[in-house]
Amino acid sequence: MEIEVDGSSVIARRPERATLTLRLGFETGDKGKALTETTTLVRRVQAAIDDFKGRVPSPTTWSAVQPITTQSWRPFNQNGEVMPQRHSANAVVLVKFVDWKALSGFVDNFGGEPGVTVQGVEWALTTETRRQLEDEVIGRAVASARMRAEAIARAAGFGQVHFTRVVDPAPGHHAAGATMMRMSAVEPNGDGIALAPEDVEVRADVHAVFATA
């Protein structure tokens, strides 16, 4: 008799890295003012990031400041009339943190400022940890498939089973709400925003075919 079953396994771990994404920019009726204010804000944020880089140990491992982009358009009012021209300037900043306290302080300092939009935090594992967990989770998924096949074989009155084929979709990792950041209210002791990292999940699913002895 041939038995086809699915096996799966999930391992959750606390994140080891957090990539913060900020959008910096202003919209005004003056193109020069939008660009100047955005440039000033980007330089201030870049200076704070550079300060992190100079610390030992550094609370960050990587950062990127994308070029400032500008846009101009003429909006319409509710009556369909063309309004004065508007201008915007924006830049995206990404910072990878390994220190949650530093991340919280950074968000606390800049998150409420005009022109700053906190787009979210992506929680992740290091490459080494992820690979180790992928090896472990695929082994558990295969064992799960075997256990299911053995249970089916026993229920059908057969003996041992052996693999004839295994389909192994590449395991991936994700965090529920990975691009979101949960925050508590500002703490009364003045420590600022407290972040609640999402666990990162490493999952494997296999489809296996067994034959009974």
Side-chain angles (χ1 to χ4, degrees):
M1 184 176 74
E2 190 174 78
I3 302 173
E4 292 191 30
V5 294
D6 293 323
S8 63
S9 180
V10 178
I11 299 176
R13 288 289 186 274
R14 302 297 286 173
E16 299 169 303
R17 299 288 187 270
T19 302
L20 171 68
T21 301
L22 300 177
R23 178 173 290 276
L24 312 178
F26 292 91
E27 176 189 328
T28 72
D30 184 319
K31 185 175 183 179
K33 181 179 180 181
L35 183 58
T36 298
E37 291 184 348
T38 300
T39 300
T40 300
L41 178 59
V42 170
R43 287 175 177 170
R44 289 182 55 234
V45 172
Q46 181 67 71
I49 295 172
D50 290 341
D51 177 67
F52 283 143
K53 291 179 180 179
R55 299 181 188 181
V56 180
S58 174
T60 64
T61 61
W62 172 86
S63 65
V65 179
Q66 298 179 1
I68 297 175
T69 61
T70 60
Q71 183 180 9
S72 299
W73 70 97
R74 288 190 178 276
F76 293 84
N77 64 16
Q78 59 184 5
N79 297 320
E81 300 170 333
V82 179
M83 302 297 290
Q85 195 170 32
R86 301 291 294 175
H87 308 274
S88 69
N90 293 276
V92 174
V93 176
L94 300 96
V95 191
K96 185 175 291 186
F97 284 85
V98 295
D99 183 325
W100 302 166
K101 185 176 181 180
L103 169 59
S104 298
F106 188 78
V107 173
D108 194 30
N109 289 336
F110 287 103
E113 287 201 15
V116 178
T117 301
V118 179
Q119 294 191 315
V121 172
E122 181 179 2
W123 306 102
L125 302 170
T126 63
T127 300
E128 181 181 0
T129 298
R130 188 180 71 249
R131 287 174 178 171
Q132 291 174 349
L133 293 180
E134 286 175 350
D135 288 344
E136 182 178 349
V137 81
I138 192 67
R140 292 186 181 185
V142 171
S144 172
R146 175 183 284 278
M147 291 174 60
R148 290 174 63 86
E150 289 174 343
I152 293 172
R154 287 194 301 270
F158 289 89
Q160 296 297 313
V161 299
H162 62 272
F163 285 97
T164 61
R165 182 164 54 92
V166 179
V167 180
D168 175 21
H173 72 287
H174 69 280
T179 59
M180 301 300 293
M181 177 171 58
R182 297 186 310 193
M183 303 180 189
S184 71
V186 177
E187 298 175 355
N189 61 8
D191 288 339
I193 295 172
L195 302 184
E198 300 279 2
D199 281 352
V200 177
E201 292 185 350
V202 179
R203 180 184 181 89
D205 299 280
V206 299
H207 180 76
V209 180
F210 295 82
T212 57

